[in-house]
Amino acid sequence: METNEYLEVFIDESKEHIQSLNDHLLELEKNPSDLTMVNEIFRSAHTLKGMSATMGYQDLADLTHKMENVLDAVRNQQLVVTTAILDVVFEAVDQLEEMVMDIASGGEGRKDVVHLVEQLNAIERGEALPEENSNTAAPVSESDHQPQSTLVSTLDEFEMTVLRESNDQGYQNLELHITLREDCLLKAARVFMVFEILEQSGEVIKSAPTVQDLEEEKFEQSFTVLLVTKDKAEEIEKKVMKVSEIESVKVQNFSIEQRSSQSGNSEDTNKLSEEKGATAVAEAPVKQEKDTAKKAPVSNKTIRVNIDRLDALMNLFEELVIDRGRLEQIADSLKHTELQETVERMTRISGDLQNIILNMRMVPIDQVFNRFPRMVRQLAKDLGKQINLEIEGAETELDRTVIDEIGDPLVHLIRNALDHGVELPEVREQKGKPREGSLKLNAYHSGNHVFIEISDDGAGINREKVINKAVSNGVVTNDQAENLTEKQVYQLIMESGFSTADKISDVSGRGVGLDVVKNTIESLGGNITIDSTFEKGSIFSIQLPLTLSIISVMLVEIKEEKYAVPLSSIIETAVIKKSNIMSAHNKKVIDFRGKVVPLIDLQDVFEVPGEKHDDEYCSVIIIRKGDKMAGLIVDTFIGQQEVVLKSLGNYLTDVFAISGATILGDGQVALIIDSNSLIV
Amino acid sequence: MPQDNKQDIKAIIFQLNDEEFAISVQQVSGIERMQHITRVPQTASFVKGVINLRGVVTPIIDLRKRFGLDAADFTDSTRMIIVYMDEMEVGLIVDAAYDVIDIPEEAVEPAPEVVGAVDVDYIEGVAKLEDRLLILLNLNNVLTDEEVRALKTVEG
């Protein structure tokens, strides 16, 4: 079989495992005594090792193996988790990630990790040796080839009780060691068949590896099962051998006494549990049924689909939306009732389809958030600060196109918050704050938008400092600065060429930065606002559209040309008497619901050829950017429509006030107006 | 002799103001009849606008304007040559496009130092073929000239 076709799966899964390693290591760091975390970490590392060895990435497998050894020692309580150990393990995970990235970009995944391996070895040797012999419980999945009772050490008291009771009631406890043939292709299927046979003759109490791992083929060639049955050992052996692709079955009697010889302290717990034994037996089968019922559907509910296919589906659907628009037009002009009804139905159905497809492309923002805990940990270390990162709403879903773009701006904002926001522990103490600074990341849905907030309890923004800087950089004049509201002052720090940090640091503050963040977010059709209290902290909040590919627009006509204005930026449309247009500073303004709103004549801005209309009334679209408003003068409103956003291509970049184009029902191209750039 | 053939340049010939130009076929993805062009405001004067090319929004350049020739009305023979370069797809409006020919490499001469008064960095060379004179275009310079670059820096 070609390994190539598995490469993608391998890379995806490796990334997932590395992510889970990172997550769990961070948990472990907070809670060093939590051995379930160690188990999780160990499991991920072990799977990663197995996968990379299978794919022939030896360096990757070796490093994981060493890491696994250290983790095993921790798991068996031969090692105490310390920051020093975790640092090395983190470093190892970083290296693993680099290797996987290398493989993903077509490399061999090779890397010189001698130093790291030595460090891992040192940790393992230095502190683990004295206790080496005390525990025989090797990692379950590595103990394949010894048919000894490796299971006993992992039995919990409940299972022990069941075994005891069954002995008393004339059942016998068998331990089956089953080995599959090396060339077995459908390991999970064979396991399933074996289990089905076993469950006909008795009750499976325990298996190593666990049932779930077996189902997911996370084992080599053999596995061990504990069975309570009335049947004879030979009969069961024969039955199991009937399943094809089974190499061997070894059946032996299993007695609990063996356990006491291996670990002394279990006796007490056994005595305790014997009292509840009778009820426990009755419950046992029920519990198992529940377990299997829980597991089965999970594995079937999701499938992996290549993103390219989803994109292809989206593109096809976009074509359909264009044709739908065309059909609507034709039906309207023909005034054929049946045709109109059919088109209406089709519109509804394709609307539903659109929702489903858009939903399919939604990914939880966790994909972006999940790399932040590591980043924050590292940054905090580099900066000598103590940070507690809280993440909320990681399950909030966003279109993949947005997710791809939002990562970098967020990284920037977090770096900014850590570098300039949160103070050093000593400074914080002086200010009467806890030494540990807090950084919160919060994402949530609201209407057609997603909000992401980054808040810290650091120094906040110093208004005076910002104004001084802005004036000295020529961003605003002294007079302007006097009249700025708090929010306007904070917006200043996102102007280009602005950096308030007194000294330039490695982490952020090279003068480019926040303006790039602002531009990126605005190019995504979103906006960013800052709220801050001096000495209390700041909140950066980002508003983003749910999707970028299909948007609702208002189509308007200026002379012969059609333009589309995104509905998201429109407050309302109005028809205004010419005589109501006033003039202020040589600019046309109107009084709109008590506010003075400047008017922009799109025919002038876009240099549309043709004579100006001289009607008594003119049509105006009131648009909004943040808390600023403007009115766009157009000739006629055509109507509201859903359109597919297309780019103008790589040749025409940065066209003023145009964010893209769309194809209308009649096949013509209409330009989409970027209302953000019209409001200054 | 296959070796010799390899050095031939297969080129599309188009006409502009009685002159004949050539572009390598490898850079051409199609030739289209004229259709509705949507004007894009505030772009270089030779950017005619964008068209819907089978679902892809494609910019169109008026080559007459680009080469500083007099504007002419579109006729039945006016065509848009869709060229593909550096991940960009752009259409060029030409008076007529009619021929694909092989130009032997030895027929190509470097562009003369002075051709009229126009600065001609978009001319790669000149090929003499029997009684025809073909001007080989350097597409890269046709699409991105100083003017466009200047435009980009002003707005970027």
Side-chain angles (χ1 to χ4, degrees), chain B residues 101-119:
Chain B
I101 59 165
D102 291 324
I103 305 173
E105 191 156 46
E106 59 268 20
V108 180
E109 286 168 25
E113 284 292 310
V114 182
V115 176
V118 206
D119 182 15

Side-chain angles (χ1 to χ4, degrees), chain A residues 178-432:
Chain A
I178 299 161
T179 312
L180 297 176
R181 288 229 310 264
E182 289 239 343
D183 55 353
C184 174
L185 283 179
L186 300 162
K187 293 203 281 186
R190 299 304 168 211
V191 169
F192 179 75
M193 290 163 85
V194 169
F195 270 71
E196 204 166 45
I197 288 174
L198 293 182
E199 269 159 13
Q200 278 166 13
S201 5
E203 206 66 61
V204 177
I205 300 298
K206 193 165 180 79
S207 73
T210 62
V211 180
Q212 197 175 358
D213 283 350
L214 288 172
E215 276 174 3
E216 289 166 12
E217 303 201 354
K218 287 182 185 160
F219 67 106
E220 313 266 307
Q221 240 60 51
S222 57
F223 58 97
T224 309
V225 177
L226 257 189
L227 182 73
V228 178
T229 179
K230 274 187 171 166
D231 291 358
K232 287 211 178 78
E234 303 86 67
E235 266 176 48
I236 289 178
E237 187 176 333
K238 265 186 219 157
K239 277 188 188 167
V240 174
M241 279 307 281
K242 277 192 184 144
V243 178
S244 46
E245 296 190 310
I246 299 277
E247 179 84 40
S248 69
V249 182
K250 283 185 190 132
V251 184
Q252 57 183 165
N253 274 314
F254 177 84
S255 63
I256 312 166
E257 277 63 46
Q258 271 178 295
R259 183 181 184 184
S260 39
S261 64
Q262 294 206 3
S263 54
N265 61 352
S266 58
E267 276 303 315
D268 320 357
T269 49
N270 279 343
K271 272 178 197 154
L272 272 175
S273 53
E274 258 173 77
E275 293 157 27
K276 321 179 245 178
T279 48
V281 176
E283 276 167 19
V286 181
K287 186 190 165 208
Q288 270 182 341
E289 265 171 35
K290 263 194 207 152
D291 277 356
T292 42
K294 239 192 294 169
K295 276 165 201 159
V298 172
S299 54
N300 289 334
K301 268 211 154 162
T302 58
I303 49 165
R304 260 175 213 275
V305 181
N306 194 323
I307 280 169
D308 291 344
R309 287 198 193 175
L310 283 186
D311 284 347
L313 181 64
M314 190 67 190
N315 285 338
L316 283 177
F317 184 73
E318 286 173 358
E319 299 284 310
L320 199 65
V321 170
I322 293 169
D323 286 341
R324 179 181 81 188
R326 193 172 302 179
L327 265 182
E328 278 171 3
Q329 267 188 5
I330 296 170
D332 275 351
S333 60
L334 285 183
K335 303 235 182 295
H336 187 287
T337 333
E338 265 178 72
L339 179 64
Q340 274 174 329
E341 276 171 15
T342 319
V343 170
E344 239 167 62
R345 265 180 61 86
M346 212 190 89
T347 309
R348 267 203 303 278
I349 292 171
S350 63
D352 291 349
L353 193 60
Q354 176 177 331
N355 279 337
I356 291 173
I357 293 177
L358 286 181
N359 267 327
M360 242 160 51
R361 292 162 50 90
M362 296 288 224
V363 271
I365 199 161
D366 189 43
Q367 283 204 354
V368 182
F369 281 6
N370 63 20
R371 58 175 148 142
F372 292 151
R374 268 308 300 282
M375 194 186 88
V376 169
R377 178 184 189 270
Q378 193 60 44
L379 272 179
K381 268 215 158 110
D382 294 349
L383 293 166
K385 294 179 179 177
Q386 292 177 11
I387 310 283
N388 176 32
L389 175 71
E390 276 176 62
I391 293 182
E392 268 176 55
E395 72 287 344
T396 311
E397 287 186 327
L398 262 171
D399 191 274
R400 200 181 58 81
T401 41
V402 186
I403 291 271
D404 288 347
E405 300 290 329
I406 195 65
D408 288 343
L410 285 181
V411 168
H412 226 110
L413 289 176
I414 290 177
R415 282 167 169 266
N416 190 64
L418 290 191
D419 199 14
H420 305 316
V422 179
E423 314 91 329
L424 290 167
E426 299 77 48
V427 181
R428 290 182 63 88
E429 231 163 30
Q430 278 170 18
K431 288 181 181 173

Side-chain angles (χ1 to χ4, degrees), chain B:
Chain B
M1 283 177 281
Q3 269 90 357
D4 284 0
N5 281 342
K6 262 196 179 160
Q7 302 199 330
D8 283 359
I9 304 164
K10 219 181 230 326
I12 295 212
I13 309 301
F14 63 85
Q15 201 187 7
L16 211 58
N17 222 16
D18 298 333
E19 282 181 65
E20 285 185 313
F21 293 82
I23 313 177
S24 162
V25 282
Q26 280 163 353
Q27 291 176 300
V28 176
S29 64
I31 297 174
E32 301 286 325
R33 285 177 181 278
M34 292 306 288
Q35 52 164 291
H36 177 88
I37 299 176
T38 304
R39 194 182 61 90
V40 181
Q42 305 206 356
T43 46
S45 61
F46 56 81
V47 175
K48 194 80 185 162
V50 289
I51 60 160
N52 165 20
L53 185 69
R54 286 176 288 278
V56 180
V57 176
T58 311
I60 301 296
I61 287 177
D62 189 343
L63 265 196
R64 277 182 168 268
K65 269 234 168 87
R66 174 70 188 88
F67 292 167
L69 305 171
D70 293 334
D73 287 337
F74 300 147
T75 64
D76 273 352
S77 65
T78 307
R79 293 287 182 276
M80 292 181 283
I81 301 182
I82 312 297
V83 295
Y84 188 83
M85 218 196 68
D86 291 346
E87 316 236 314
M88 297 189 291
E89 227 170 24
V90 178
L92 309 172
I93 300 179
V94 299
D95 288 355
Y98 39 75
D99 225 350
V100 178
I101 59 165
D102 291 324
I103 305 173
E105 191 156 46
E106 59 268 20
V108 180
E109 286 168 25
E113 284 292 310
V114 182
V115 176
V118 206
D119 182 15
V120 282
D121 60 343
Y122 46 75
I123 293 184
E124 183 111 319
V126 179
K128 256 184 271 174
L129 231 65
E130 290 156 29
D131 55 340
R132 301 165 85 175
L133 190 73
L134 302 175
I135 300 168
L136 269 65
L137 282 186
N138 178 339
L139 266 191
N140 201 8
N141 291 342
V142 171
L143 298 187
T144 56
D145 73 334
E146 290 303 322
E147 206 176 332
V148 176
R149 253 171 255 146
L151 211 82
K152 276 186 182 170
T153 44
V154 166
E155 284 169 2

Side-chain angles (χ1 to χ4, degrees), chain A residues 6 13 59 105 121 202 324 345 373 401 433 509 534 558:
Chain A
Y6 298 115
E13 290 194 357
D59 287 3
S105 54
N121 274 338
R324 179 181 81 188
R345 265 180 61 86
T401 41
K433 296 183 190 178
F534 188 50
I558 306 164

